């Protein structure tokens, strides 16, 4: 079966449809309040990466919000895989996909009115990875800056749930983007230790060991976990704990992990060269190579091929 | 001209239309991230209340988010008034309206794709006030509980901006609603003082004076300001500052203010009777009466008339 | 020797006497200031449980208060065992005992007055366990709520000492008891992580592992230590560390430990079902069974037998 | 009627009796948990000082604890005055009295046992002021030290309620008393500003103005209020707010207020001379003189007369 | 008498000498520990500005450090004025001077060694104002950024003392200077409110009022006080209190004050235009004009004349 | 070659010279701002101790300050060893040396002036250890006190860098020295746990284990690391983590480590005896003996020999 349309398909409350037909009332609570959650994986050559881990994490976010999506984890895995399959004809142009699962709590009832759709809105969708936009950073290394705003503390709203409330990070990032449009903001936590960027975890390397913030104040990244797994196989110790600005200034190497970046080296931190300035550094490079071998897709080449 | 349809009209990016036709892509940043802001006033007998103050506050929220709505405050006032006028035929059934202005930052660009609509999405809309749902509370008084979660601190995301990120309050409220579905959650601030509820400010009365949290940690409520104005005219002193749990337990009277409640008395705080348990208490009652006189609408009667 | 009186015997400053004759001046510092400390163990079929561990912990509390009780730990062990022995005739009706050791700093001197008793007041006493009052909770599971008040921080007054200053927890518990008289309050610590309830420690279960707050912010429960020991023998890993509200919402099982409860399953947390709602859950059940085997007393049956 | 006994009379649950007959079960919650509250005034030449203010403050403490004493404020005023009257024959030797009102929550019920006395225990009592013990300090000035422990934060247990939980201050004071048995500990609050000592408020003088911690973090002292009143009559401005260590080091004068001290000058702070080292300084001296005039009793002379 | 040398004269421990002869042992505590304090005023056309206020503030810093300089305030005023007088021949080239008073605690004793100079080292010195370096900023407005590091909290080391410990601000400024060499860092305080920059205070303007951080967390700037005085004479209200990021984003105008800047308008804050982007704004301009009139020196022209 | 002068030689920017000729302009940033860093080792019988570790730590401090000393670590090791060698003739009188490496950022440029020396000032120097001054403490044990001031938090200025900004600890120590001139101040960290003293780390011993604050909030002492190494060789477990006041009061033994002290027992903490009051305790004694064996120098005897 060939699919000729160039419009991506999404899945919305049980049906597949072109994504531009997935329209939602402005009265949906996720639009009004960000009252929803999501998760996001990527494909490697069209194969979804650690889909089950992502879906499991998604249900932990939903549980924290006390939001019952009305669909089982396995069903959501299946739908996600179908989204990949149905959009496969479009993938060659996209390179590879981000696959998103999103649930909002649905519409508030207005007194005795009967809405067309009650209960949660559930969407599974895909978009092309931003390969071109980030190609420069894979060539040169990332520039990380810590803004003045602190990541929301766990007793206010848990940063461990991946929700539709992103303004803390959006606002913090604005002062960074104002002076470095390609820079990456990594917020400090309530105690002043490194926390996380928007959708990314941070690692530093010192004396042959990896250090990364513990899960207390950050999203439990699936690529972060992948990095733990690769490090174990390479016999590189990983230590989870508080990382402060002293650690960051003295890092020999630094890198970010995220669904889309996988692992990407950092060349500067708050304007100072990291280590000797090479990004990725040698241990980071070993992890990237192991990552590529594990997923069977040279994601670095994917990015660099899009350099304009 | 008569308007026979029973569908409310909303204004969406420049056009009036039935509100159920105001549909937004799930890729809108407000749906994905809560990346938007809103404000909300009400009508009294069909006349919008302090519309300019609300719109001014709205632009402060937008400025904080660095979100340019592409429309001037005066235009937004005009549109809001038209929304009231055009929906007037439906008002007798509604009682009175909530009038909402809402702006999202619009859609993220996906590489080189051209979205149908770029830039912010701007909506002005109305809904019936929840007169029936809250009638019981106007008869008996509100029950206020402080949940364990703290209001987000100002160096993380300012509680002074009225944004589409409400999960801090939504999640906090869940533990209250679990044991008291009609209870009102009022969160403590990062220092453990009373902050605010979802869209409501709190006041206590002691020795003939009003006390309310300072503007540092809460939204600057328009009804809160109205209460200041009424108190001044009644020669009741108002003190803005930290209100702690000791103050709350020793309050002689307590009340909430919000767009919809105007002023509503509190009968219990964390399960203990407030003062002698009458809600509203005598000073609260004077403020309510002055409020009614000022707006020319007996909002208490409006609520009580809907008692089932 | 038979003892016919139905009055329990207590030990007071060196003498055994009916407990209702243990009377203390209102000028005693523990009555005026809570300037004292205590510890509490229980019997299983009349045998005191881990008495030495309790007494050792007691002396750590006293040391922290710089309060010399004028009696050695071994003497206090001996007296405690005698209290059990002398009250044995009353035990069948009681079921089993709480055994308390209590020391106050004694009376403040008033200028040159000579008090009848100077120096610390030392008491060893017993009371029937609240088997009947808690029987329902052993059948159905506990309901845990986190109040808004935070547990006193260690740089103010150490929560690791079991003192006669309990108002922090008493006041916090009041808002919970106001809506759920059978509910259990578990306070958050100064950082917003789970701390402890009044005399009880909290555990959650996830993926076959136990998690419990580290000893930093809580009393080092003897039943908590017993649970560590049982878990080790059952090869269930135990992780001490910060437990936040995200962990609690995502717990598969949850339980409390305390001298009297031993281990008791939790069915709801802040109004949401824990795991699938069974209390105790399967791992909790294994620990309870091991506990019963270890102490040679089916404490669950003891509770359930008193169901009215 | 003459009263020949040298035993002070106290009032206990409705009856006057020699205070050494006021005996309380060790099962009383105030002995076990410090679950009670008190207030304390003094006499000047046998006349109770601002008794009504003290009793009003007492009921605020009780309200915070949700502890109903079962007696009205006016009754407690009356009883307090009778205590003064009945002990008048003993006053010449005492000098003047501390008058204490104390309420505990009473005994916990043990299953179905019937205690002899249920409900709160209420006591009114008096003791001689420590005139001799503090005479040296009135001659030379007080030495104030700030210990490392912080005053309990208001969201844990309010320092504004005068309860029977004093261990925070007792433990903090121990490190001060260890090196300066006559020194006075003044704790810092949770933010590191000066808070209060055990039963005393602190003031500093700079440029003709008084500064004292605001009521947020400290007990609202009646002598503190008296000082406000005197300052107003002397046209000395008083500013309530945060006082930090920089303020303290730069104070020109410093003094403490308390029921028993009334106003007492401080000569050193953390080991450094305050101002030019005179205690009381000139403005403090004016306040003391006005205090003496107001109460009609030279309390300084009272102290100095007891110098040994 | 004419002075032909082009070397500035300084005063060092009692003697005037060319400043390059003021040499200090590396064992001086200010070099090893920053164990010293300073103050800094400027001249306007060769007349020292508010010298007495600066010296008074200097002695408060010294008192906080418990550092006795061994010289009276009046002597230091006199020496400072002589430094101005003696260096007057060099002033035409300099434009105007910064006048610094500096005291270190002197050398640590090494066992029984006898240092050449014991006791504090006291210096009074002058340098040309950086008129040329800052000319651009007076033309275009300042760009202010808030770094991630927080200003040291008052219970650690008081920011109200102007000491020789500047690393907190030096390190914080580095990340700002890394991306904007002409940018000005303004640190947040421990609570996340605006504090101060290196030697500068910050003001915002809204609705005709000035707002500036209270003296709690910042150095009490003499130019800040001058601004208060000018505002009073212009009937512009000044409010001291917490200023958060919401305030800053919504400021209509913003300016810094410092000894050298006097008052200088801010055009951007964290990369966003302040108000309508004019710097100085209209109210700031009125204050600048009044400042110029008061000191009799057009400091703005002084700066602009050096534009290259 | 014999060296007859009794003046110690130091190395200053490339040259050896008598230390009293190492003179620095008062305009050097380390004198004005403490803008520099240092490290300090000691000799044992004239052999420098773990010099490489000290120099490595020094470069971490410099990196944190973004201060390039313009000299390589190996060169600094070499110069340090030469300083020892060249001063060897003076060592017999000194006993042993402290060897210090110090770097300041040099002079600020004043507009277009050309300083004689630009760039950092680098010094290597030695001083006699304070053997006599501390002999008493080695005989009797140290007395440790925790002042009210807290150690600067890592998000303000990292305590892990050994910089020339010592006022936090200098000011904190003053209140301790005021009542106990031989006492040692150990500051609490921002959370109220034990942090460190001026140049010293703290350990407690309980149940055969060592506990010491983790590296988060303290300088990573080289003697602290030495203690870890010795403990490992003696099979004594070491646990790094938060140590609070409860731990300190219940310590069985306590000791400090520092370059000069090596390991020294503590006999009292905040005025209370540590353990049974023997200092050093038995485990501390084993560590001291192992230390002596490892360095081949009985440093305890060195101290005690100087007892006067």
């Amino acid at each position: 079966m060939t699919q000729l349309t160039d419009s991506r398909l999404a899945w919305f409350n049980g049906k597949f449809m072109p994504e531009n037909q997935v329209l939602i009332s402005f009265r949906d609570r996720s639009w009004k309040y960000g009252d929803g959650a999501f998760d996001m994986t990527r494909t490697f050559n069209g194969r979804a990466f650690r889909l089950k881990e992502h879906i499991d994490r998604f249900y932990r976010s939903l549980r924290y919000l006390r939001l019952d999506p009305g669909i089982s984890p396995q069903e959501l895995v299946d739908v996600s895989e179908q989204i990949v399959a149905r959009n496969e004809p479009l993938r060659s142009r996209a390179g590879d996909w981000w696959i998103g699962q999103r649930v909002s709590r649905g519409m508030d009832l207005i007194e005795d009115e009967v809405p067309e759709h009650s209960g949660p809105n559930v969407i599974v969708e895909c978009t092309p990875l931003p390969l071109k936009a980030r190609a420069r950073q894979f060539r040169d290394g990332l520039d990380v800056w810590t803004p003045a705003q602190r990541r929301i503390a766990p007793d206010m709203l848990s940063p461990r749930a991946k929700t539709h409330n992103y303004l803390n990070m959006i606002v913090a990032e604005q002062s960074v983007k104002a002076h470095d449009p390609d820079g990456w903001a990594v917020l400090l936590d309530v105690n002043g230790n490194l926390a996380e960027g928007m959708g990314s975890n941070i690692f530093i390397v010192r004396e042959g060991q990896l250090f990364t913030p513990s899960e207390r104040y950050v999203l439990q990244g699936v690529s972060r976990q992948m990095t733990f797994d690769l490090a174990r196989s390479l016999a590189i110790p990983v230590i989870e704990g508080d990382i402060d600005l002293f650690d960051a200034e003295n890092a020999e190497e630094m890198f970010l992990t995220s669904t889309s970046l996988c692992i990407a080296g950092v060349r500067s931190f708050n304007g100072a060269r990291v280590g000797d300035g090479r990004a990725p550094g040698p241990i980071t490079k070993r992890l990237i190579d192991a990552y590529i071998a594990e997923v069977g897709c040279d994601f670095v080449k994917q990015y660099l091929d899009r350099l304009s």
Side-chain angles (χ1 to χ4, degrees), chain A residues 11-239:
Chain A
W11 183 92
F12 180 37
N13 290 339
K15 299 197 202 106
F16 291 91
M17 61 183 76
E19 72 169 49
N20 57 14
Q21 293 175 27
V22 181
L23 296 172
I24 291 175
S25 167
F26 75 97
R27 296 217 181 277
D28 182 87
R29 288 178 62 91
S30 190
W31 198 79
K32 291 198 301 175
Y33 300 132
D35 190 2
F38 73 111
D39 221 289
M40 188 78 88
T41 183
R42 61 163 286 172
T43 58
F44 288 106
N45 297 330
R47 291 188 314 277
F49 174 66
R50 293 196 166 189
L51 188 50
K52 185 177 180 315
E53 282 90 328
H54 279 281
I55 299 296
D56 285 350
R57 184 177 70 178
F58 188 31
Y59 277 78
R60 290 195 296 273
S61 298
L62 291 167
R63 181 93 187 208
Y64 173 73
L65 297 183
R66 300 189 182 178
L67 200 176
D68 178 352
I71 182 174
S72 76
Q74 186 55 50
E75 285 173 291
L76 213 46
V77 166
D78 294 344
V79 169
S80 298
E81 282 173 347
Q82 284 192 52
I83 278 293
V84 175
R86 294 201 184 205
N87 285 292
E88 179 65 14
L90 303 175
R91 191 177 56 83
S92 62
R93 186 165 152 238
D96 256 313
W97 301 118
W98 258 328
I99 313 295
Q101 301 83 24
R102 298 175 176 279
V103 173
S104 89
R105 207 181 297 271
M107 291 174 71
D108 280 322
L109 295 188
I110 298 175
E111 299 259 301
D112 50 1
E113 298 187 9
V114 181
E116 289 171 61
H117 175 77
S118 67
N121 281 308
V122 184
I123 293 170
V124 181
E125 45 92 14
C126 65
T127 43
L129 288 170
L131 298 175
K132 185 174 177 183
R134 296 181 179 171
R136 204 280 298 148
Q137 290 155 324
F138 267 88
R139 186 190 61 199
D140 301 337
L142 299 166
D143 298 304
V144 165
W145 301 89
T146 56
Q149 289 90 346
R150 296 288 165 89
R151 189 76 181 96
I152 290 175
D155 63 340
M156 297 168 181
L157 183 67
S158 180
R160 301 167 67 191
K162 195 169 181 72
T163 76
H164 279 177
N165 267 212
Y166 255 50
L167 281 177
N168 169 226
M169 288 192 284
I170 289 169
V171 169
E173 203 177 65
Q174 287 174 335
S175 65
V176 170
K177 295 292 189 191
H179 66 76
D180 183 358
D182 288 335
W184 285 67
V186 171
L187 282 73
L188 303 186
D189 68 25
V190 67
N191 297 315
N193 296 305
L194 294 184
E196 61 184 340
M198 209 184 297
S200 54
N201 292 112
I202 190 164
F203 287 73
I204 67 171
V205 183
R206 250 190 73 75
E207 301 181 353
Q209 294 177 309
L210 305 186
F211 298 83
T212 195
S214 77
E215 202 193 326
R216 288 297 102 191
Y217 296 113
V218 303
L219 187 71
Q220 189 184 16
V222 174
S223 303
R224 175 180 177 270
Q225 182 59 47
M226 173 73 163
T227 303
F228 290 2
D229 298 343
L230 296 173
R232 194 182 317 111
S233 71
L234 295 171
I236 300 169
V238 183
I239 297 167

